Coordinates of all heavy atoms in Angstrom, one line a residue:
M1259 N -11.3 -37.7 89.4 CA -10.1 -38.3 89.0 C -9.7 -39.3 90.1 O -9.7 -39.0 91.3 CB -9.0 -37.3 88.8 CG -7.7 -37.9 88.3 SD -6.3 -36.8 88.0 CE -7.0 -35.2 87.6
G1260 N -9.3 -40.5 89.7 CA -8.9 -41.5 90.7 C -7.4 -41.4 91.1 O -6.9 -40.3 91.2
N1261 N -6.8 -42.5 91.2 CA -5.4 -42.6 91.5 C -4.6 -41.9 90.4 O -4.7 -42.2 89.2 CB -5.0 -44.1 91.6 CG -3.6 -44.3 91.9 OD1 -2.7 -43.7 91.3 ND2 -3.3 -45.2 92.8
I1262 N -3.8 -40.9 90.8 CA -3.1 -40.1 89.8 C -2.2 -40.9 89.0 O -2.0 -40.7 87.7 CB -2.4 -38.9 90.5 CG1 -2.0 -37.9 89.4 CG2 -1.2 -39.4 91.3 CD1 -1.8 -36.5 89.9
I1263 N -1.6 -42.0 89.5 CA -0.6 -42.8 88.7 C -1.4 -43.6 87.7 O -1.0 -43.7 86.5 CB 0.1 -43.8 89.7 CG1 1.0 -43.0 90.6 CG2 0.9 -44.8 88.9 CD1 1.7 -43.7 91.7
E1264 N -2.6 -44.1 88.0 CA -3.4 -44.8 87.1 C -3.9 -43.8 86.0 O -3.9 -44.2 84.8 CB -4.7 -45.4 87.8 CG -4.3 -46.6 88.5 CD -5.5 -47.2 89.3 OE1 -6.7 -46.9 88.9 OE2 -5.4 -48.0 90.2
E1265 N -4.3 -42.6 86.3 CA -4.7 -41.6 85.4 C -3.6 -41.3 84.4 O -3.9 -41.2 83.2 CB -5.2 -40.4 86.1 CG -6.4 -40.5 87.0 CD -7.7 -40.9 86.1 OE1 -7.9 -40.3 85.1 OE2 -8.4 -41.8 86.6
L1266 N -2.4 -41.2 84.9 CA -1.2 -40.9 84.1 C -1.0 -42.1 83.1 O -0.8 -41.9 81.9 CB 0.0 -40.7 84.9 CG 1.3 -40.3 84.2 CD1 1.2 -39.1 83.4 CD2 2.4 -40.2 85.2
Y1267 N -1.1 -43.3 83.7 CA -0.8 -44.6 82.9 C -1.8 -44.6 81.7 O -1.5 -45.0 80.6 CB -1.0 -45.8 83.8 CG -0.9 -47.1 83.0 CD1 0.4 -47.6 82.6 CD2 -2.0 -47.8 82.7 CE1 0.4 -48.7 81.9 CE2 -1.9 -49.0 81.9 CZ -0.8 -49.4 81.5 OH -0.6 -50.6 80.8
Y1268 N -3.1 -44.4 82.0 CA -4.2 -44.5 81.0 C -4.3 -43.3 80.1 O -5.1 -43.3 79.2 CB -5.5 -44.8 81.6 CG -5.6 -46.2 82.3 CD1 -5.7 -46.4 83.6 CD2 -5.6 -47.3 81.4 CE1 -5.8 -47.6 84.2 CE2 -5.6 -48.6 82.0 CZ -5.7 -48.7 83.3 OH -5.8 -50.1 83.9
G1269 N -3.4 -42.3 80.3 CA -3.4 -41.2 79.4 C -4.5 -40.2 79.7 O -4.9 -39.4 78.8
N1270 N -5.1 -40.2 80.9 CA -6.2 -39.3 81.2 C -5.7 -38.0 81.7 O -6.5 -37.1 81.9 CB -7.1 -40.0 82.2 CG -7.7 -41.2 81.7 OD1 -8.0 -41.4 80.5 ND2 -8.0 -42.2 82.5
L1271 N -4.4 -37.8 82.0 CA -3.9 -36.5 82.5 C -3.4 -35.7 81.2 O -2.4 -36.1 80.6 CB -2.8 -36.7 83.4 CG -3.1 -37.2 84.8 CD1 -1.9 -37.4 85.7 CD2 -4.1 -36.2 85.5
R1272 N -4.2 -34.7 80.9 CA -3.8 -33.9 79.8 C -4.0 -32.4 80.2 O -4.9 -31.8 79.8 CB -4.6 -34.2 78.6 CG -4.5 -35.7 78.2 CD -5.0 -36.0 76.8 NE -4.5 -35.1 75.7 CZ -3.5 -35.3 75.0 NH1 -2.7 -36.4 75.3 NH2 -3.1 -34.5 74.1
P1273 N -3.1 -31.9 81.0 CA -3.2 -30.6 81.6 C -3.3 -29.5 80.5 O -4.0 -28.4 80.7 CB -2.0 -30.4 82.5 CG -1.0 -31.4 82.1 CD -1.8 -32.5 81.4
E1274 N -2.7 -29.7 79.4 CA -2.8 -28.7 78.3 C -4.1 -28.4 77.8 O -4.4 -27.3 77.3 CB -1.8 -29.0 77.2 CG -2.2 -30.1 76.3 CD -2.0 -31.5 76.7 OE1 -1.5 -31.7 77.8 OE2 -2.4 -32.4 76.0
E1275 N -5.0 -29.4 78.0 CA -6.4 -29.3 77.5 C -7.2 -28.4 78.5 O -8.3 -28.0 78.1 CB -7.0 -30.6 77.3 CG -6.4 -31.4 76.2 CD -7.1 -32.8 76.0 OE1 -7.9 -33.2 76.9 OE2 -6.7 -33.4 75.1
N1276 N -6.8 -28.2 79.7 CA -7.5 -27.5 80.7 C -7.0 -26.1 80.9 O -7.5 -25.3 81.7 CB -7.5 -28.3 82.0 CG -8.1 -29.6 81.9 OD1 -9.2 -29.7 81.3 ND2 -7.5 -30.6 82.5
I1277 N -5.9 -25.7 80.2 CA -5.4 -24.4 80.3 C -6.1 -23.4 79.5 O -6.3 -23.5 78.3 CB -3.8 -24.4 80.0 CG1 -3.1 -25.3 80.9 CG2 -3.3 -23.0 80.0 CD1 -1.6 -25.5 80.5
V1278 N -6.7 -22.4 80.3 CA -7.4 -21.3 79.5 C -6.7 -20.0 80.0 O -6.9 -19.6 81.2 CB -8.9 -21.3 79.9 CG1 -9.5 -20.1 79.2 CG2 -9.5 -22.6 79.5
P1279 N -5.8 -19.4 79.2 CA -5.1 -18.3 79.7 C -6.0 -17.2 80.0 O -7.0 -16.8 79.3 CB -4.2 -17.9 78.5 CG -4.0 -19.2 77.7 CD -5.3 -19.9 77.9
K1280 N -5.8 -16.5 81.2 CA -6.6 -15.4 81.6 C -6.0 -14.0 81.4 O -6.6 -13.1 81.6 CB -6.8 -15.6 83.2 CG -7.7 -16.8 83.5 CD -7.8 -17.0 85.0 CE -8.6 -18.3 85.2 NZ -8.4 -18.9 86.5
D1281 N -4.8 -14.1 80.8 CA -4.1 -12.9 80.5 C -4.8 -12.1 79.3 O -5.1 -12.7 78.3 CB -2.7 -13.2 80.1 CG -1.8 -12.0 79.8 OD1 -2.3 -11.0 79.4 OD2 -0.6 -12.2 80.2
S1282 N -5.2 -10.9 79.6 CA -6.0 -10.1 78.6 C -5.1 -9.9 77.3 O -5.6 -9.8 76.2 CB -6.4 -8.8 79.1 OG -5.3 -8.0 79.5
E1283 N -3.8 -9.9 77.5 CA -2.9 -9.7 76.3 C -3.0 -10.9 75.4 O -3.0 -10.8 74.2 CB -1.5 -9.5 76.8 CG -0.5 -9.2 75.6 CD 0.9 -8.9 76.1 OE1 1.2 -9.2 77.2 OE2 1.7 -8.5 75.2
Y1284 N -3.1 -12.1 76.0 CA -3.3 -13.4 75.3 C -4.5 -13.3 74.4 O -4.5 -13.6 73.2 CB -3.4 -14.6 76.1 CG -3.7 -15.8 75.4 CD1 -2.7 -16.6 74.8 CD2 -5.0 -16.3 75.3 CE1 -3.0 -17.8 74.2 CE2 -5.3 -17.4 74.6 CZ -4.3 -18.2 74.1 OH -4.6 -19.3 73.4
R1285 N -5.6 -12.8 75.0 CA -6.9 -12.8 74.2 C -6.8 -11.7 73.2 O -7.3 -12.0 72.0 CB -8.0 -12.5 75.2 CG -8.3 -13.7 76.1 CD -9.5 -13.4 77.0 NE -9.7 -14.5 77.8 CZ -10.2 -14.5 79.0 NH1 -10.5 -13.3 79.6 NH2 -10.3 -15.5 79.8
S1286 N -6.2 -10.6 73.4 CA -6.0 -9.6 72.4 C -5.2 -10.0 71.2 O -5.6 -9.9 70.1 CB -5.3 -8.4 73.0 OG -5.1 -7.4 72.1
I1287 N -4.1 -10.7 71.5 CA -3.3 -11.3 70.4 C -4.0 -12.3 69.7 O -3.9 -12.4 68.4 CB -1.9 -11.8 71.0 CG1 -1.1 -10.6 71.6 CG2 -1.2 -12.6 69.9 CD1 0.1 -11.1 72.3
H1288 N -4.7 -13.1 70.3 CA -5.5 -14.3 69.7 C -6.5 -13.6 68.7 O -6.7 -14.1 67.6 CB -6.1 -15.2 70.7 CG -6.7 -16.4 70.1 ND1 -8.0 -16.5 69.6 CD2 -6.2 -17.6 69.9 CE1 -8.2 -17.6 69.2 NE2 -7.2 -18.4 69.3
K1289 N -7.2 -12.6 69.1 CA -8.1 -11.9 68.3 C -7.5 -11.3 67.0 O -8.0 -11.4 65.9 CB -8.9 -10.8 69.0 CG -10.0 -11.4 70.0 CD -10.7 -10.2 70.7 CE -11.6 -10.7 71.7 NZ -12.3 -9.7 72.4
E1290 N -6.3 -10.7 67.2 CA -5.6 -10.1 66.2 C -5.1 -11.2 65.2 O -5.2 -11.0 64.0 CB -4.3 -9.3 66.7 CG -3.7 -8.5 65.7 CD -2.6 -7.6 66.3 OE1 -2.5 -7.5 67.6 OE2 -1.9 -7.0 65.5
I1291 N -4.7 -12.3 65.7 CA -4.3 -13.4 64.7 C -5.4 -13.9 64.0 O -5.3 -14.1 62.7 CB -3.7 -14.6 65.6 CG1 -2.3 -14.2 66.1 CG2 -3.5 -15.8 64.7 CD1 -1.7 -15.1 67.1
T1292 N -6.6 -14.0 64.6 CA -7.8 -14.5 63.9 C -8.2 -13.5 62.8 O -8.6 -13.9 61.7 CB -8.9 -14.7 64.9 OG1 -8.5 -15.6 65.9 CG2 -10.2 -15.1 64.2
A1293 N -8.1 -12.2 63.1 CA -8.4 -11.2 62.1 C -7.5 -11.3 60.9 O -8.0 -11.2 59.8 CB -8.4 -9.8 62.8
Y1294 N -6.2 -11.5 61.2 CA -5.3 -11.6 60.1 C -5.5 -12.9 59.2 O -5.5 -12.8 58.0 CB -3.8 -11.7 60.6 CG -3.2 -10.3 60.7 CD1 -2.9 -9.8 62.0 CD2 -2.7 -9.6 59.6 CE1 -2.3 -8.5 62.1 CE2 -2.1 -8.3 59.7 CZ -2.0 -7.8 61.0 OH -1.3 -6.6 61.2
I1295 N -5.8 -13.9 59.8 CA -6.1 -15.2 59.2 C -7.4 -15.0 58.2 O -7.3 -15.4 57.0 CB -6.4 -16.3 60.1 CG1 -5.0 -16.7 60.8 CG2 -7.0 -17.6 59.4 CD1 -5.1 -17.8 61.9
E1296 N -8.4 -14.3 58.8 CA -9.6 -14.1 57.9 C -9.3 -13.1 56.8 O -9.8 -13.3 55.7 CB -10.7 -13.5 58.9 CG -11.3 -14.5 59.8 CD -12.2 -13.9 60.8 OE1 -12.4 -12.7 60.9 OE2 -12.8 -14.7 61.7
K1297 N -8.4 -12.2 57.0 CA -8.1 -11.2 56.0 C -7.3 -11.9 54.9 O -7.6 -11.8 53.7 CB -7.1 -10.1 56.6 CG -6.6 -9.1 55.7 CD -5.8 -8.1 56.5 CE -5.1 -7.1 55.5 NZ -4.3 -6.1 56.3
F1298 N -6.3 -12.9 55.2 CA -5.6 -13.6 54.2 C -6.6 -14.6 53.5 O -6.4 -14.8 52.3 CB -4.5 -14.4 54.9 CG -3.3 -13.5 55.1 CD1 -2.8 -13.4 56.4 CD2 -2.6 -12.8 54.1 CE1 -1.7 -12.6 56.7 CE2 -1.5 -12.0 54.4 CZ -1.1 -11.9 55.7
Q1299 N -7.5 -15.2 54.2 CA -8.4 -16.1 53.6 C -9.2 -15.4 52.5 O -9.5 -16.0 51.5 CB -9.4 -16.7 54.6 CG -10.2 -17.8 54.0 CD -11.0 -18.6 55.1 OE1 -11.2 -18.0 56.2 NE2 -11.4 -19.7 54.8
S1300 N -9.6 -14.1 52.7 CA -10.4 -13.4 51.7 C -9.5 -12.9 50.6 O -10.1 -12.7 49.4 CB -11.2 -12.3 52.4 OG -10.3 -11.3 52.8
K1301 N -8.3 -12.7 50.8 CA -7.4 -12.2 49.7 C -6.7 -13.2 48.9 O -6.3 -13.0 47.8 CB -6.4 -11.2 50.4 CG -7.0 -9.9 50.9 CD -6.0 -8.9 51.3 CE -6.7 -7.7 51.7 NZ -5.7 -6.5 51.6
L1302 N -6.4 -14.3 49.5 CA -5.6 -15.4 48.8 C -6.5 -16.4 48.1 O -7.6 -16.5 48.4 CB -4.7 -16.2 49.9 CG -3.7 -15.5 50.7 CD1 -3.1 -16.4 51.7 CD2 -2.6 -15.0 49.7
S1303 N -5.9 -17.0 47.1 CA -6.6 -18.0 46.4 C -6.8 -19.2 47.4 O -6.1 -19.3 48.3 CB -5.8 -18.5 45.2 OG -4.7 -19.2 45.5
E1304 N -7.7 -20.1 47.0 CA -7.9 -21.2 47.9 C -6.6 -22.1 48.1 O -6.3 -22.5 49.2 CB -9.0 -22.1 47.3 CG -9.4 -23.3 48.3 CD -10.6 -24.1 47.7 OE1 -11.3 -23.6 46.8 OE2 -10.8 -25.1 48.3
D1305 N -5.9 -22.3 47.0 CA -4.6 -23.1 47.1 C -3.6 -22.3 47.9 O -2.9 -23.0 48.8 CB -4.0 -23.3 45.7 CG -4.8 -24.4 44.9 OD1 -5.5 -25.1 45.6 OD2 -4.7 -24.5 43.7
D1306 N -3.5 -21.0 47.7 CA -2.5 -20.3 48.5 C -2.9 -20.3 50.0 O -2.0 -20.4 50.9 CB -2.4 -18.8 48.0 CG -1.7 -18.7 46.7 OD1 -0.9 -19.7 46.3 OD2 -1.8 -17.6 46.1
F1307 N -4.1 -20.2 50.3 CA -4.6 -20.2 51.7 C -4.4 -21.6 52.3 O -3.9 -21.7 53.4 CB -6.0 -19.8 51.9 CG -6.4 -19.7 53.3 CD1 -6.0 -18.6 54.1 CD2 -7.2 -20.6 53.9 CE1 -6.3 -18.5 55.4 CE2 -7.6 -20.5 55.2 CZ -7.1 -19.4 56.0
I1308 N -4.5 -22.6 51.6 CA -4.3 -24.0 52.0 C -2.8 -24.1 52.4 O -2.4 -24.7 53.4 CB -4.7 -25.0 51.0 CG1 -6.2 -25.1 51.0 CG2 -4.1 -26.4 51.3 CD1 -6.8 -26.0 49.9
Q1309 N -1.9 -23.6 51.5 CA -0.5 -23.6 51.8 C -0.1 -22.8 53.1 O 0.7 -23.3 53.9 CB 0.3 -23.0 50.6 CG 0.3 -24.0 49.4 CD 1.1 -23.4 48.2 OE1 2.0 -22.7 48.5 NE2 0.7 -23.7 47.0
L1310 N -0.8 -21.7 53.3 CA -0.6 -20.9 54.5 C -1.0 -21.8 55.7 O -0.4 -21.8 56.8 CB -1.4 -19.6 54.5 CG -1.2 -18.7 55.7 CD1 0.2 -18.3 55.8 CD2 -2.1 -17.5 55.5
E1311 N -2.2 -22.5 55.6 CA -2.6 -23.4 56.7 C -1.6 -24.5 57.0 O -1.4 -24.8 58.1 CB -4.0 -23.9 56.4 CG -5.1 -22.9 56.5 CD -6.5 -23.6 56.3 OE1 -6.6 -24.3 55.3 OE2 -7.4 -23.3 57.1
V1312 N -1.1 -25.0 55.9 CA -0.1 -26.1 56.1 C 1.1 -25.5 56.9 O 1.7 -26.1 57.8 CB 0.4 -26.6 54.7 CG1 1.6 -27.5 54.8 CG2 -0.8 -27.4 54.1
L1313 N 1.5 -24.3 56.5 CA 2.6 -23.6 57.2 C 2.3 -23.5 58.7 O 3.1 -23.8 59.5 CB 3.0 -22.3 56.6 CG 4.0 -21.4 57.3 CD1 5.4 -22.1 57.2 CD2 4.1 -20.0 56.7
F1314 N 1.1 -23.0 59.0 CA 0.7 -22.9 60.4 C 0.8 -24.3 61.2 O 1.2 -24.3 62.3 CB -0.8 -22.3 60.5 CG -0.8 -20.9 60.2 CD1 -2.0 -20.4 59.6 CD2 0.2 -20.0 60.5 CE1 -2.1 -19.0 59.3 CE2 0.1 -18.6 60.3 CZ -1.1 -18.2 59.7
D1315 N 0.3 -25.3 60.5 CA 0.3 -26.6 61.0 C 1.7 -27.1 61.3 O 1.9 -27.9 62.2 CB -0.4 -27.6 60.2 CG -1.9 -27.4 60.2 OD1 -2.4 -26.6 61.1 OD2 -2.7 -27.8 59.3
M1316 N 2.7 -26.7 60.4 CA 4.0 -27.2 60.6 C 4.8 -26.4 61.7 O 5.8 -26.9 62.2 CB 4.8 -26.9 59.3 CG 4.4 -27.8 58.2 SD 5.1 -27.5 56.6 CE 6.8 -27.3 57.0
D1317 N 4.3 -25.3 62.2 CA 4.9 -24.5 63.2 C 4.7 -25.2 64.6 O 3.8 -24.9 65.3 CB 4.4 -23.1 63.3 CG 5.1 -22.3 64.4 OD1 6.2 -22.7 64.8 OD2 4.5 -21.3 64.8
Q1318 N 5.6 -26.2 64.9 CA 5.5 -26.9 66.1 C 6.5 -26.4 67.1 O 6.6 -27.0 68.2 CB 5.7 -28.4 65.8 CG 4.7 -29.0 64.9 CD 5.0 -30.4 64.5 OE1 5.9 -31.0 65.1 NE2 4.2 -31.0 63.6
V1319 N 7.2 -25.4 66.9 CA 8.2 -24.9 67.7 C 7.7 -24.5 69.1 O 8.2 -24.9 70.2 CB 9.0 -23.7 67.1 CG1 9.9 -23.1 68.1 CG2 9.7 -24.2 65.9
H1320 N 6.5 -23.9 69.1 CA 5.9 -23.5 70.4 C 5.5 -24.6 71.2 O 5.7 -24.7 72.4 CB 4.7 -22.5 70.1 CG 4.0 -22.1 71.3 ND1 4.6 -21.1 72.2 CD2 2.8 -22.4 71.9 CE1 3.8 -20.9 73.1 NE2 2.7 -21.7 73.0
S1321 N 4.8 -25.6 70.6 CA 4.3 -26.8 71.4 C 5.6 -27.6 71.9 O 5.5 -28.1 73.0 CB 3.4 -27.6 70.6 OG 4.0 -28.2 69.4
I1322 N 6.6 -27.7 71.1 CA 7.8 -28.4 71.6 C 8.4 -27.7 72.7 O 8.8 -28.3 73.7 CB 8.8 -28.6 70.4 CG1 8.3 -29.5 69.4 CG2 10.1 -29.1 70.9 CD1 9.1 -29.6 68.1
H1323 N 8.5 -26.3 72.7 CA 9.0 -25.5 73.7 C 8.2 -25.7 75.0 O 8.7 -25.8 76.1 CB 9.1 -24.1 73.3 CG 9.8 -23.2 74.4 ND1 9.0 -22.6 75.3 CD2 11.0 -22.9 74.7 CE1 9.8 -21.9 76.1 NE2 11.1 -22.1 75.7
S1324 N 6.9 -25.6 74.9 CA 5.9 -25.8 76.0 C 6.1 -27.2 76.7 O 6.1 -27.3 77.9 CB 4.5 -25.6 75.5 OG 4.3 -24.3 75.1
K1325 N 6.3 -28.2 75.8 CA 6.4 -29.6 76.4 C 7.7 -29.6 77.2 O 7.7 -30.2 78.3 CB 6.5 -30.5 75.2 CG 6.8 -32.0 75.7 CD 6.9 -32.9 74.5 CE 8.3 -32.6 73.9 NZ 8.8 -33.6 73.0
E1326 N 8.8 -29.0 76.7 CA 10.1 -29.0 77.3 C 10.0 -28.2 78.7 O 10.6 -28.6 79.7 CB 11.2 -28.5 76.5 CG 11.5 -29.4 75.3 CD 12.0 -30.8 75.7 OE1 12.7 -30.9 76.7 OE2 11.6 -31.8 75.0
A1327 N 9.3 -27.1 78.6 CA 9.2 -26.2 79.8 C 8.4 -26.9 80.9 O 8.7 -26.9 82.1 CB 8.5 -24.9 79.4
F1328 N 7.3 -27.6 80.4 CA 6.4 -28.4 81.4 C 7.4 -29.5 82.0 O 7.4 -29.7 83.3 CB 5.3 -29.1 80.7 CG 4.5 -29.9 81.6 CD1 3.5 -29.4 82.4 CD2 4.7 -31.3 81.6 CE1 2.8 -30.3 83.3 CE2 4.0 -32.2 82.4 CZ 3.0 -31.6 83.2
A1329 N 8.1 -30.2 81.3 CA 8.9 -31.3 81.8 C 10.0 -30.8 82.7 O 10.2 -31.3 83.8 CB 9.6 -32.1 80.6
S1330 N 10.6 -29.6 82.4 CA 11.6 -29.0 83.2 C 11.0 -28.6 84.5 O 11.6 -28.8 85.6 CB 12.3 -27.8 82.5 OG 13.2 -27.2 83.3
G1331 N 9.8 -28.0 84.5 CA 9.2 -27.5 85.7 C 8.8 -28.6 86.6 O 8.9 -28.6 87.8
F1332 N 8.3 -29.7 86.0 CA 8.0 -30.9 86.8 C 9.2 -31.5 87.5 O 9.2 -31.8 88.7 CB 7.4 -32.0 85.8 CG 6.8 -33.2 86.6 CD1 5.5 -33.1 87.0 CD2 7.6 -34.2 86.8 CE1 4.9 -34.2 87.7 CE2 7.1 -35.3 87.5 CZ 5.7 -35.3 87.9
K1333 N 10.4 -31.5 86.8 CA 11.6 -32.1 87.4 C 12.0 -31.1 88.5 O 12.4 -31.6 89.5 CB 12.7 -32.2 86.3 CG 12.4 -33.2 85.3 CD 13.4 -33.2 84.1 CE 13.1 -34.2 83.1 NZ 14.0 -34.1 82.0
I1334 N 11.9 -29.8 88.3 CA 12.3 -28.9 89.3 C 11.5 -29.1 90.6 O 11.9 -29.1 91.7 CB 12.4 -27.4 88.9 CG1 13.5 -27.2 87.8 CG2 12.4 -26.5 90.0 CD1 13.4 -25.9 87.1
G1335 N 10.2 -29.2 90.4 CA 9.2 -29.4 91.5 C 9.5 -30.7 92.2 O 9.5 -30.7 93.5
T1336 N 9.9 -31.8 91.5 CA 10.2 -33.0 92.1 C 11.5 -32.9 92.9 O 11.5 -33.3 94.1 CB 10.4 -34.1 91.1 OG1 9.2 -34.2 90.3 CG2 10.8 -35.4 91.7
L1337 N 12.5 -32.2 92.4 CA 13.7 -32.0 93.1 C 13.5 -31.1 94.4 O 14.1 -31.4 95.4 CB 14.8 -31.3 92.2 CG 15.3 -32.2 91.1 CD1 16.2 -31.3 90.1 CD2 16.1 -33.3 91.7
I1338 N 12.7 -30.2 94.3 CA 12.3 -29.3 95.5 C 11.7 -30.2 96.6 O 12.0 -30.1 97.8 CB 11.4 -28.1 95.1 CG1 12.1 -27.1 94.3 CG2 10.8 -27.5 96.4 CD1 11.2 -26.1 93.6
M1339 N 10.7 -31.1 96.2 CA 10.1 -32.0 97.1 C 11.1 -32.9 97.8 O 11.1 -33.1 99.0 CB 9.0 -32.8 96.5 CG 7.8 -32.0 96.0 SD 6.6 -32.8 95.1 CE 6.2 -34.3 96.2
I1340 N 12.0 -33.5 97.0 CA 13.1 -34.4 97.6 C 14.0 -33.6 98.5 O 14.3 -34.0 99.6 CB 13.9 -35.0 96.4 CG1 13.1 -36.0 95.6 CG2 15.2 -35.6 96.9 CD1 13.7 -36.4 94.3
E1341 N 14.4 -32.4 98.1 CA 15.4 -31.6 98.9 C 14.7 -31.2 100.2 O 15.4 -31.1 101.2 CB 15.9 -30.4 98.1 CG 17.0 -29.6 98.8 CD 17.5 -28.6 97.9 OE1 17.9 -28.9 96.8 OE2 17.7 -27.4 98.4
S1342 N 13.4 -30.9 100.1 CA 12.7 -30.4 101.4 C 12.3 -31.6 102.3 O 11.8 -31.3 103.3 CB 11.5 -29.6 101.0 OG 10.5 -30.4 100.3
G1343 N 12.6 -32.8 101.8 CA 12.3 -33.9 102.7 C 10.8 -34.3 102.7 O 10.3 -34.9 103.6
Y1344 N 10.1 -33.9 101.6 CA 8.7 -34.2 101.5 C 8.4 -35.7 101.5 O 9.2 -36.4 100.8 CB 8.0 -33.6 100.3 CG 6.6 -34.0 100.1 CD1 5.6 -33.3 100.8 CD2 6.2 -35.0 99.3 CE1 4.3 -33.7 100.6 CE2 4.9 -35.3 99.1 CZ 3.9 -34.6 99.8 OH 2.6 -35.0 99.7
S1345 N 7.5 -36.2 102.3 CA 7.1 -37.6 102.3 C 5.6 -37.7 102.6 O 5.1 -36.9 103.4 CB 7.9 -38.5 103.2 OG 7.7 -38.0 104.6
S1346 N 5.0 -38.6 102.1 CA 3.5 -38.8 102.4 C 3.2 -39.8 103.5 O 4.0 -40.5 103.9 CB 2.7 -39.2 101.1 OG 3.3 -40.4 100.6

């Protein structure tokens, strides 16, 4: 990665793409969700399952919250650097 400001400008900084949760609970829950999806896929008609997928795609609450949490954390980090007198 080159200059971080240039990387940000060109849209090359996408930290969410590099996050791989290491929490075993996350993996367990993800497996359970996958199992439920497969169960519904086998029980529902194709049209009903498509509607369920549309519902999943519409659930943007988590990603909006994550975006806001990231922005808030970034701002807090910046304020800490300013308050501590950080300079390069």
